[in-house]
Amino acid sequence: GLEHWRLNVVHVTLGLVLASNLLPLSVAGLLSLYLGAVSLVFFRPVAFHMDALWRVCSVSNLTVGVGGLFRGACCSRDGGSLTRLVNVAIPGLLLAAIAALCVKPWPVFFAEDVLPHSGPWSVVETPALRAAHCGSGAGRTAETAAAAEAAGVLCEAIELLSWEEAEAKARETVAQMTSAERHGLMLGVGWTALGWGIVMPKQGYYMGNTVPVPRLGIPALKLADAGNGFRNNIPPLGVAGTSTCWPSALAMASSWDESLVRRVAAAIGREFRGKGANVLLGPAVQVHRVARNGRNFEYMSGEDPLLGARLGAAYVHGVQGEGVMAVAKHFAYNEQETDRFNQSSDVDDRTAWELYYPPFEATVEAGVASVMCSYNRVNGTHACENESLLRRDLKGRLGFRGFVMSDWWALHAPASDRGVDQEMPGIPQDDPEPWLSHNRLEASEGTSPSERHLEPALRILAAMHRLRLTERPSCTPGRGCSEALRSNQRSPQHDALAPQAAAS
């Protein structure tokens, strides 16, 4: 792209030098290897036909490079034995170095089956399949309804369990779980470290993932961004243009239309379900305070807590009716991106309850499955470790019955006793292991876990049972979800609804 123009100039120059046929064969082979590797790993066109051509050219470059290296090393008649030895040794070392560098990115390009499969392979629910199974009027019969259910296709909004029913089922499930299975619900998996501080999701995984427990019928949680549509990851992890780009939450708020917000949220939920995800990381309902906040566009409340409360509740109902968990975020007072990991939002109780809490309170009353705690500090303490914020206000006074997940790398201590239930994404940045790892939790619990130790798993499972996630087929991250992640979830109906919503 043009943003990499300096690097592009260098690579075009190297290509011209390579084409000039003036370089020794070994050097030309190394240069061809480099250009092939760079083009294959870092620069990929979006269009499918161009992407396929790009892959062919990249692999051809790599093949020519390897051939040139070995021919230059083994077949050269120039120089003595020492020269030939150097010609063999240097390319060999460079090839070994390239191979070593390719080991770490391997999981990004090639899906692997690492997690236990949580039941039968699910059918990818595309708009075409949905249309075939979900005919209206006379087209809807008992047979088509049974076929839709067997295929895992939802034709109508699901009926959620009550919290009481879901919590009773969760308690029965937890009683059958090992500590490792229980702790697996509390920690994300599926990311890999590439070196130099770069981490990425593995092929076939989502932005957040948990380990399934097949013997108890517990599927993996598969978390994806965000409130204005399914965010396809960069190639090779995703395919651009395969989900609808909906208006931002702030644009939707300007419609002042609860019915429209609910319709759009339901459509987004259907696309998430088709992509294999069962957790939508939205709605973001933070009330604006700083006009220059870089995330104001995704905060549905604008500057009005009543507006955020009404629309946030409608959004939750729309998404969760499609069998996908909604996540209200970012709790709380996430008012600026500048120094977002360290700045403290200092708020008194009256301001909190009158201005900033009402949108979250409305999503709790709407039955939101999860709440995400924020990066910033609250009155000096990081939000995800703030017992007053999470345990006293959210779970206590607001009566929240779902689970609290951390924002990505927002946890700075083993704080499950302070109100956070799940750490995402589960790969540490600074510490040698995640804060909510099995080893750390096992050490803190001892041989007899208390009710507070069981609480995170109980809350997570209650949310899963309430949305009936254990009753439907679900792909398992890795190869099992690769097809769903690449599926095209756009439809003529959604392509028509999106501009209508934007114009409202």
Side-chain angles (χ1 to χ4, degrees), residues 221-224 272 277-281 324-327 403 405:
L221 287 181
K222 295 161 287 184
L223 297 66
F272 267 67
N278 51 22
V279 182
L280 186 156
L281 299 173
V324 176
M325 290 185 185
V327 180
F403 65 98
M405 70 170 68

Side-chain angles (χ1 to χ4, degrees), residues 33-357:
L33 260 182
Y34 166 76
L35 291 172
V38 167
S39 60
L40 187 64
V41 174
F42 294 105
F43 303 104
R44 299 274 294 280
V46 172
F48 175 79
H49 61 285
M50 286 300 295
D51 182 52
L53 182 61
W54 193 268
R55 286 171 183 258
V56 170
C57 292
S58 300
V59 172
S60 299
N61 247 354
L62 290 171
T63 305
V64 168
V66 171
L69 278 177
F70 278 99
R71 179 163 185 186
C74 302
C75 305
S76 173
R77 297 180 181 179
D78 300 327
S81 58
L82 180 60
T83 302
R84 287 195 293 274
L85 179 63
V86 170
N87 281 341
V88 172
I90 292 178
L93 289 172
L94 287 170
L95 280 173
I98 291 170
L101 288 173
C102 289
V103 169
K104 285 189 174 182
W106 181 273
V108 175
F109 292 92
F110 302 98
E112 301 171 316
D113 282 332
V114 178
L115 301 179
H117 283 282
S118 56
W121 293 80
S122 60
V123 175
V124 176
E125 187 182 334
T126 61
L129 185 65
R130 200 176 297 123
H133 283 91
C134 302
S136 58
R140 287 286 289 156
T141 65
E143 286 88 4
T144 59
E149 185 177 353
V153 175
L154 288 181
C155 296
E156 298 174 353
I158 66 168
E159 183 179 346
L160 305 184
L161 294 183
S162 69
W163 278 114
E164 289 75 19
E165 292 175 295
E167 287 164 352
K169 285 179 173 287
R171 196 164 289 279
E172 291 174 7
T173 306
V174 166
Q176 303 174 63
M177 299 180 79
T178 66
S179 61
E181 290 169 340
R182 182 163 46 81
H183 297 156
L185 297 174
M186 301 169 61
L187 182 67
V189 295
W191 284 58
T192 186
L194 303 182
W196 302 287
I198 301 172
V199 293
M200 292 182 70
K202 296 177 181 178
Q203 183 68 236
Y205 285 75
Y206 297 78
M207 292 304 291
N209 315 265
T210 62
V211 178
V213 187
R215 70 182 187 88
L216 298 176
I218 302 171
L221 287 181
K222 295 161 287 184
L223 297 66
D225 291 320
N228 67 317
F230 187 93
R231 187 180 78 180
N232 296 292
N233 221 322
I234 60 172
L237 297 171
V239 181
T242 55
S243 57
T244 307
C245 183
W246 299 91
S248 71
L250 188 57
M252 289 301 302
S254 68
S255 71
W256 298 76
D257 189 333
E258 293 173 66
S259 176
L260 178 63
V261 168
R262 185 164 182 162
R263 283 176 60 204
V264 168
I268 294 174
R270 283 192 290 275
E271 293 195 8
F272 267 67
R273 196 176 68 237
K275 287 285 191 177
N278 51 22
V279 182
L280 186 156
L281 299 173
V285 295
Q286 191 66 54
V287 174
H288 297 189
R289 183 179 188 276
V290 178
R292 294 170 297 185
N293 180 14
R295 301 187 77 166
N296 279 348
F297 74 95
E298 62 176 307
Y299 287 158
M300 186 173 286
S301 300
E303 296 175 314
D304 187 341
L306 177 59
L307 177 65
R310 298 282 288 272
L311 299 185
Y315 192 99
V316 169
H317 285 304
V319 169
Q320 295 195 161
E322 297 298 325
V324 176
M325 290 185 185
V327 180
K329 63 182 186 181
H330 303 89
F331 195 72
Y333 323 116
N334 188 213
E335 300 296 342
Q336 65 183 55
E337 287 294 273
T338 304
D339 198 26
R340 64 180 182 174
F341 295 106
N342 297 304
Q343 69 87 19
S344 179
S345 297
D346 299 332
V347 188
D348 63 87
D349 271 3
R350 181 177 177 182
T351 305
W353 287 94
E354 292 184 2
L355 187 60
Y356 294 104
Y357 281 178

Side-chain angles (χ1 to χ4, degrees), residues 11-25:
H11 288 155
V12 168
T13 304
L14 290 176
L16 292 173
V17 171
L18 184 62
S20 69
N21 205 28
L22 296 175
L23 297 174
L25 197 52

